[in-house]
Amino acid sequence: MDTDALKHTWALAEKAGDEVPLWFYGHLFLEHPELREMFPVSMATQRDRLVSALGRIVSDVDRLDEVTGFIQQLGRDHRRFQVMADHYGAVGASLLATLEHFLGAEWTPQVAADWAAAYGVIATAMVQAAEESEDYQPASWDGEVLSVDRRTLDVAVLQVRPNQRMEYVAGQSVAVEIPQHPRLWRYLSPANAPRRNGTLELHVQRVPGGQVSAALVTSVKPGQTLRLGAPIGETLTLPVDNERPLLMIAGSTGLAPLRAHLERIDHEWQRSGTAPQVHLFHGVRHPWNLYEHELLTQLTARPWFDYTPVVSDDPTFPGSRGLVGEVATDGRDWQGRIALVCGSPEMVDHTVERLEALGLPTADIRYEQFATAKEQRPTFPDINESGDQS
């Protein structure tokens, strides 16, 4: 399998832009009209997500050893769509037909064989993981909304109780579907460590054009039922026995998975008296968006925790002002720390660049591997995910 050829031909196909997903979906729904109902009614937010995700995953098959765990998680997570093995075959056939259409003379028998083989490897890993998970976890969870706490104009904190216990670790995410927008899903990270009562705390910020986020903040009420997918994600998780000091940098509700770590660390500190040193920077545009300021300020009474709130758009704010990535890195030495970064794509890009400029090793900078504003990094998003972003 020539992985260089896979990368080269995928880069060529991407140059056709929006024509690629349009042709792909036309082929998929013409050949398999029964699959249309698995996608949102409006495809405006879907656009090129499926095609782009598949293209990047398959063309990076040489990195399989690095991402096998995540691909398996995706396979388990996709059970919520009632995806079956035959569906992977249909999607793969349409992907190859799309590449053949746009690559022209570059689509040689050898290239076709390499793409088919690479897709087969990825699909097999996902299908096997999904089949194995049938023995120990549901395809999805129903979650009752216990409370909705509107913290600011555009941020709400929801307490949700799944109908069955969900096993996850701090730093992972779950896909959420709400009754107001069926078949539109948005990933959210639980903001709490696993609790004995099994409840989840979800932090949601309303974003422009985000149908799911807007409804979660303004329309979802206690007593309603959400649907939750299987927990996924590895880059923001940490070993339970981690003793290295941590640098946490969050933008807005990107605080959620980092707050889950803080809760987990605090539980361990209260139990054993030991905890890694942690410094958290929470960046927002306006002071009122520091929606966990009171809790985090109280937590600074712990000997292991430091907290710096950062406001970018209010010159009257008496504390740290500017972009959170700049404040967190300006004149500081974070060598030896593991950095966890979570926020908007632009915030993540900027902060990671600043950390790298400080000389922090790449392996010590942890952030979600979704496509960022600067470039299309290798990404493994949900292949049927909505356009909502944090």
Side-chain angles (χ1 to χ4, degrees):
M1 189 186 306
D2 187 344
T3 56
D4 288 337
L6 293 175
K7 291 179 172 63
H8 171 68
T9 49
W10 176 243
L12 291 177
E14 282 190 308
K15 292 180 179 179
D18 289 342
E19 293 299 313
V20 175
L22 288 173
W23 204 95
F24 169 85
Y25 285 117
H27 185 277
L28 180 64
F29 296 151
L30 180 64
E31 294 294 322
H32 297 277
E34 73 279 5
L35 298 186
R36 181 62 182 89
E37 65 181 17
M38 299 176 68
F39 291 82
V41 174
S42 170
M43 295 291 288
T45 56
Q46 179 69 19
R47 295 172 56 193
D48 66 344
R49 286 180 175 271
L50 173 57
V51 185
S52 295
L54 286 174
R56 288 192 293 272
I57 291 172
V58 176
S59 62
D60 281 319
V61 71
D62 56 327
R63 296 179 55 226
L64 189 61
D65 288 346
E66 302 173 29
V67 298
T68 294
F70 195 90
I71 291 172
Q72 291 172 334
Q73 289 178 345
L74 280 182
R76 293 188 286 269
D77 183 40
H78 277 69
R79 289 176 55 208
R80 62 188 157 98
F81 300 124
Q82 288 78 53
V83 172
M84 298 180 292
D86 288 347
H87 296 150
Y88 285 91
V91 168
S94 289
L95 175 65
L96 268 58
T98 301
L99 290 168
E100 180 181 18
H101 175 79
F102 285 98
L103 290 177
E106 293 275 351
W107 188 252
T108 64
Q110 185 59 54
V111 168
D114 285 346
W115 269 96
Y119 180 82
V121 170
I122 301 299
T124 298
M126 293 180 69
V127 169
Q128 287 180 337
E131 292 173 345
E132 292 167 1
S133 71
E134 292 176 2
D135 294 333
Y136 61 86
Q137 72 179 32
S140 63
W141 288 254
D142 287 338
E144 179 188 0
V145 179
L146 302 179
S147 66
V148 180
D149 181 6
R150 186 80 171 268
R151 296 286 181 87
T152 73
L153 290 173
D154 57 1
V155 173
V157 173
L158 287 72
Q159 302 294 332
V160 179
R161 181 172 56 208
N163 62 335
Q164 300 182 54
R165 186 165 187 86
M166 176 185 290
E167 301 294 338
Y168 72 97
V169 297
Q172 288 192 300
S173 300
V174 299
V176 178
E177 180 194 51
I178 61 176
Q180 290 88 338
H181 296 288
R183 287 178 282 167
L184 282 178
W185 294 81
R186 182 189 179 190
Y187 277 117
L188 296 172
S189 294
N192 60 285
R195 298 168 175 165
R196 290 182 180 179
N197 66 5
T199 58
L200 307 178
E201 181 173 308
L202 303 178
H203 295 182
V204 189
Q205 180 180 21
R206 179 171 56 182
V207 295
Q211 299 179 63
V212 176
S213 64
L216 280 166
V217 172
T218 64
S219 303
V220 169
K221 306 297 182 186
Q224 286 190 304
T225 299
L226 311 181
R227 206 153 66 94
L228 309 171
I232 66 168
E234 297 176 335
T235 57
L236 288 180
T237 64
L238 290 169
V240 175
D241 58 353
N242 172 67
E243 297 180 351
R244 292 183 60 187
L246 302 173
L247 168 63
M248 298 182 177
I249 307 176
S252 189
T253 51
L255 175 66
L258 309 187
R259 184 187 179 284
H261 279 299
L262 293 178
E263 186 172 302
R264 175 186 60 81
I265 292 169
D266 193 50
H267 288 167
E268 178 60 24
W269 177 77
Q270 293 184 59
R271 187 190 68 83
S272 67
T274 61
Q277 286 298 127
V278 180
H279 195 136
L280 167 70
F281 292 82
H282 185 205
V284 296
R285 292 182 180 276
H286 305 285
W288 52 84
N289 291 128
L290 294 167
Y291 66 94
E292 288 281 51
H293 183 67
E294 182 177 353
L295 173 66
L296 295 173
T297 300
Q298 292 174 355
L299 195 61
T300 59
R302 307 300 199 220
W304 52 268
F305 182 64
D306 293 298
Y307 161 55
T308 302
V310 182
V311 172
S312 63
D313 291 5
D314 185 351
T316 67
F317 182 66
S320 297
R321 298 196 299 270
L323 298 177
V324 67
E326 292 182 357
V327 173
T329 56
D330 189 22
R332 301 177 188 269
D333 181 8
W334 299 117
Q335 294 298 321
R337 296 212 180 202
I338 297 175
L340 302 179
V341 183
C342 192
S344 70
E346 295 81 5
M347 173 265 174
V348 171
D349 265 337
H350 178 259
T351 302
V352 169
E353 286 181 350
R354 298 279 300 194
L355 291 170
E356 290 174 341
L358 280 182
L360 208 64
T362 301
D364 289 344
I365 305 173
R366 310 285 294 275
Y367 56 96
E368 289 286 7
Q369 299 291 305
F370 295 108
T372 59
K374 179 183 65 176
E375 61 181 336
Q376 294 292 308
R377 292 192 176 98
T379 179
F380 306 96
D382 189 308
I383 61 173
N384 193 15
E385 178 67 17
S386 80
D388 271 330
Q389 298 292 328
S390 296

